[in-house]
Amino acid sequence: MQSRRQVLAMIGAAGLTPLATLARAGTDPAYIASRQNADGSFSAVVLDGAGHDLFTEELSARGHDAAVSPDGRTVVMFARRPGRFAIVLDLSRGRRVAAFASPDDRHFYGHGFFGADGRLLYATENDFEEERGLLGVYDSANWQRIGEIETGAIGPHEAVLLADGRTVACANGGVATHPDYPRQKLNLPFMKPSVSYVDIETGDLLASAELPAFHQLSIRHVSQAGDGSVWFGGQYEGPETDTVPLVGRHRPGEALEMIEVPDAYASMAHYIGAVETSADGTRIAASSPRGGKVMVFDAASRDIVATLTAPDVCAVAPAAGHDFLAADGAGTIWTGDAPLAHVNGRWDNHAVALGGRGKG
């Protein structure tokens, strides 16, 4: 049997695999996140359970979120809105194996998920000429786009496949944008954010719930709790002096319910950047990079049970037990309120657990 040193020498000479892959060979991938490195470059980063890099893949611009295939072998990382690239990583081979792009008249919103059998990938997209929110449908055999499904509203930022394997919950931000006007919000007085539900087998819009009392709270992120409720987080586009709830929950057929914790929202700068459910389904984490805070709610009581204060913290993912992993803009990875690892770089908006409770 060849020694690890001999294997490293052979592969290094052949110029095949990133050395970071082999530096921690034998350690299982636990998370994926995107990062801006100290030299300004951008990467998709696969981490082990201790928060150390297993391997990285260079990105041409900021990455956002990732979708994990049901068998846990494949990950697709999407460009940050309004980017058009997506890369495909094979976790067993530790490298990129494909890349694809949205059509010229669409851009990604940064999120997606696989169908229950892994054959199809669904990506949230913007039809910016027609102002339609879409789920682009891609065949995972060749990454060709084979169709699209309307989400029923403008700006479907995050969408997740619910536990029935067929219904998709879509966070429709309600903000119209166009790539000719980068990151400008074109309809703030007339926003209609909503949580909609789509049947991915028929393409039917099953239900939609709006927020008439807070029509400028752009709903951006969703996650399903273990009791079946859908939790969501928003970004308020109204006056800075307003006090509004930022997190809510919903069950189809009922009205959207906002979670009232005004003292906690005061430090969140009107901005929730990610919402995730714990591995056991009983807790919900909502992060605010602008506020530098993560709030953890008990899904049953709606009470805040933990908080984390960290600079520019946004990425959250389920960890062991009730804890969440979080990653901040100063390069630190946290479990609970304890630092786990640190790099010279800035962690971006999202992290996804691999081999466990991933998205989609």
Side-chain angles (χ1 to χ4, degrees):
M1 177 179 294
Q2 293 170 315
S3 68
R4 179 174 178 275
R5 183 184 298 275
Q6 290 172 317
V7 173
L8 281 169
M10 291 173 58
I11 293 178
L16 293 177
T17 305
L19 292 178
T21 302
L22 299 168
R24 303 189 66 80
T27 305
D28 290 334
Y31 299 96
I32 183 169
S34 58
R35 183 174 71 203
Q36 183 175 24
N37 303 302
D39 63 2
S41 63
F42 301 98
S43 297
V45 185
V46 175
L47 303 163
D48 65 14
H52 298 130
D53 291 9
L54 285 178
F55 67 91
T56 67
E57 281 289 345
E58 184 176 0
L59 302 174
S60 58
R62 286 179 69 176
H64 197 69
D65 196 23
V68 185
S69 63
D71 63 8
R73 296 179 178 175
T74 304
V75 175
V76 175
M77 175 160 279
F78 296 97
R80 177 176 182 254
R81 176 182 66 87
R84 296 187 52 240
F85 71 82
I87 67 166
V88 183
L89 303 180
D90 182 326
L91 295 180
S92 63
R93 298 161 74 181
R95 65 181 180 85
R96 177 193 310 218
V97 293
F100 60 96
S102 66
D104 291 341
D105 55 352
R106 309 279 194 270
H107 69 69
F108 292 129
Y109 273 115
H111 292 266
F113 61 91
F114 280 87
D117 61 8
R119 292 187 304 110
L120 301 176
L121 173 79
Y122 301 83
T124 53
E125 295 179 353
N126 184 17
D127 175 359
F128 43 83
E129 297 294 351
E130 300 296 330
E131 293 191 351
R132 293 187 306 151
L134 301 171
L135 297 174
V137 185
Y138 295 80
D139 188 334
S140 66
N142 53 23
W143 307 109
Q144 295 296 307
R145 194 176 189 276
I146 60 172
E148 60 189 30
I149 299 171
E150 294 196 38
T151 68
I154 293 173
H157 187 71
E158 183 171 29
V160 297
L161 184 64
L162 301 185
D164 65 5
R166 179 164 175 167
T167 305
V168 180
C170 305
N172 296 304
V175 179
T177 59
H178 193 287
D180 289 347
Y181 311 97
R183 304 193 72 77
Q184 288 190 29
K185 299 160 184 173
L186 305 176
N187 66 332
L188 295 185
F190 314 107
M191 290 172 52
K192 290 184 178 179
S194 66
V195 177
S196 66
Y197 298 89
V198 173
D199 184 327
I200 57 170
E201 294 189 13
T202 65
D204 292 341
L205 179 65
L206 302 174
S208 182
E210 297 184 357
L211 270 176
F214 306 102
H215 82 281
Q216 288 189 306
L217 181 66
S218 178
I219 299 174
R220 301 292 183 92
H221 296 100
V222 286
S223 188
Q224 187 177 32
D227 64 3
S229 61
V230 173
W231 285 64
F232 58 89
Q235 298 166 13
Y236 188 59
E237 303 291 350
E240 294 182 359
T241 53
D242 286 356
T243 300
V244 296
L246 301 174
V247 175
R249 66 190 290 277
H250 184 245
R251 289 180 183 277
E254 300 177 2
L256 299 181
E257 173 194 356
M258 302 308 298
I259 308 300
E260 298 291 346
V261 285
D263 291 343
Y265 293 139
S267 62
M268 305 295 274
H270 282 175
Y271 193 100
I272 298 296
V275 176
E276 287 290 347
T277 303
S278 62
D280 65 2
T282 65
R283 295 190 175 186
I284 306 296
S287 63
S288 173
R290 295 184 182 179
K293 291 277 179 58
V294 177
M295 300 182 292
V296 179
F297 296 88
D298 182 288
S301 69
R302 283 76 141 170
D303 294 332
I304 292 180
V305 295
T307 60
L308 168 68
T309 300
D312 191 22
V313 61
C314 191
V316 286
H322 289 308
D323 286 335
F324 288 90
L325 174 140
D328 68 33
T332 300
I333 296 175
W334 305 78
T335 53
D337 59 358
L340 179 68
H342 181 79
V343 295
N344 291 322
R346 298 167 55 92
W347 293 105
D348 223 306
N349 291 64
H350 295 284
V352 179
L354 305 171
R357 190 188 175 91
K359 291 180 178 178

